[in-house]
Amino acid sequence: MDIRDFIDKIPFARKAQAVAFDPCGLIAISKGSGIMSHPNPNPKDNMTPSILRAKYNFKEEYFSWKAEGCEENLHLYLINRLDSPTSGIMLASANKELAAELKKAFKEKSAKKTYYAICVGRPFGKEGEWNDFLDIKRFGNFVRGKTGGGTRAITRFAFERIDENKLMLSLMRLEPKTGRTHQLRIQCASHKLPILGDETYGDFEANRRLRRLAGAKRMYLHCAKTEVEFEFNGKKINFCAEDKLPQSFKDIIEFNGEILIKKMGKI
């Protein structure tokens, strides 16, 4: 089946869509904020939708569904995931063998991801590198982490711009060199730049204030670009997929008269 035909048969949920592909079977998906990469293992906790309206095999990490005109179920294998509040690019594969090669590439650090975050505060320096040790604890389906002990986490950061509404917010570009759970969220918080809208590691008072002033209802972390280099069937492939900055980011970073009016207490 041609990759275009395969994509047409994927039962994407609302706020998820394919944005790029390679003929080998690699697919880049744009995931919106507030939906999960895959269903929760506990059916009782599946109140939040995932990217596909399909069953998920947790052991082999793929979605499975019956498509019109196909005798056998179709499968979509996840390569990487994004937290539910995070939006942006995630990768998937139309076949198991390719998925294995891509996961190997991610493990060997042949993949590069670029994120943007709106953070509360101002950074010390315009760019640099965070090198921390993260201690990650799992409690059933919940994950919590902090700096100190554990495994090394490295992230390149760059200050992009301040917000035009004088809310003491910064747009940051983040490039993780390691792939630890909640890495960017924990490191931003520990370096006094909590991500706006983060309900676990964020500045809760600032979250409430910005929700009132600007209607900030999401976590402002977005995977804008993913690049990966790998070999498949004897061919070297360089793949890049991008997802533009959401309008919700621009609404807060760019000038907004309504926000300024609310700040002055006139409405």
Side-chain angles (χ1 to χ4, degrees):
M1 181 186 300
D2 180 87
I3 186 62
R4 295 178 181 83
D5 294 332
F6 180 87
I7 291 174
D8 287 341
K9 296 181 183 297
I10 298 176
F12 284 115
R14 189 174 66 89
K15 298 174 69 174
Q17 61 179 330
V19 292
F21 66 87
D22 186 90
C24 70
L26 174 57
I27 301 168
I29 297 170
S30 169
K31 185 189 86 68
S33 175
I35 65 173
M36 302 176 72
S37 296
H38 59 67
N40 196 301
N42 186 348
K44 295 181 180 179
D45 295 332
N46 275 325
M47 300 299 292
T48 304
S50 62
I51 59 170
L52 262 64
R53 298 186 300 272
K55 294 182 179 180
Y56 189 74
N57 184 311
F58 288 92
K59 183 178 180 180
E60 298 191 42
E61 301 179 317
Y62 66 78
F63 284 96
S64 177
W65 70 95
K66 186 69 175 179
E68 184 177 353
C70 299
E71 295 183 1
E72 299 182 351
N73 283 359
L74 299 182
H75 296 160
L76 183 71
Y77 294 82
L78 293 187
I79 309 305
N80 69 312
R81 298 160 187 73
L82 296 176
D83 293 340
S84 173
T86 306
S87 59
I89 294 291
M90 54 184 293
L91 301 185
S93 167
N95 69 75
K96 185 176 182 179
E97 294 74 21
L98 175 60
E101 288 298 321
L102 286 163
K103 288 180 181 179
K104 181 180 177 182
F106 268 77
K107 187 175 181 180
E108 294 177 349
K109 299 180 176 60
S110 297
K112 177 182 177 182
K113 292 187 285 185
T114 302
Y115 289 79
Y116 286 91
I118 295 179
C119 297
V120 179
R122 298 281 189 263
F124 295 101
K126 290 189 175 182
E127 61 181 36
E129 184 174 277
W130 292 329
N131 194 325
D132 302 298
F133 283 87
L134 306 188
D135 184 19
I136 307 296
K137 303 292 185 183
R138 296 184 181 273
F139 309 92
N141 296 325
F142 295 96
V143 177
R144 295 293 182 270
K146 60 181 181 180
T147 54
T151 54
R152 187 184 298 274
I154 303 172
T155 298
R156 290 286 304 171
F157 72 88
F159 170 70
E160 292 286 311
R161 60 184 292 192
I162 62 174
D163 75 278
E164 297 179 5
N165 301 297
K166 300 181 180 180
L167 298 170
M168 278 302 292
L169 301 175
S170 299
L171 180 65
M172 304 290 295
R173 185 176 76 249
L174 306 170
E175 298 177 0
K177 303 303 180 183
T178 53
R180 313 305 178 202
T181 301
H182 290 184
Q183 174 174 322
L184 299 181
R185 298 167 64 180
I186 297 170
Q187 287 192 294
C188 283
S190 68
H191 291 275
K192 303 186 185 306
L193 287 167
I195 297 174
L196 178 63
D198 191 333
E199 299 294 343
T200 302
Y201 307 102
D203 182 328
F204 305 136
E205 182 178 345
N207 290 346
R208 289 191 294 270
R209 178 171 60 89
L210 270 297
R211 190 177 297 117
R212 175 177 58 83
L213 288 175
K217 298 179 181 179
R218 61 163 291 173
M219 183 176 75
Y220 287 79
L221 180 62
H222 179 73
C223 182
K225 182 164 67 172
T226 298
E227 304 167 78
V228 61
E229 182 179 300
F230 62 99
E231 288 191 11
F232 187 64
N233 290 338
K235 180 181 178 182
K236 187 175 182 179
I237 299 172
N238 292 289
F239 182 80
C240 178
E242 298 186 59
D243 195 10
K244 65 181 181 180
L245 206 62
Q247 184 62 42
S248 56
F249 278 62
K250 299 177 183 178
D251 289 341
I252 290 183
I253 289 295
E254 297 177 357
F255 178 80
N256 188 318
E258 291 186 7
I259 292 177
L260 295 182
I261 292 174
K262 287 183 179 180
K263 280 181 62 182
M264 291 187 293
K266 292 186 177 181
I267 61 173

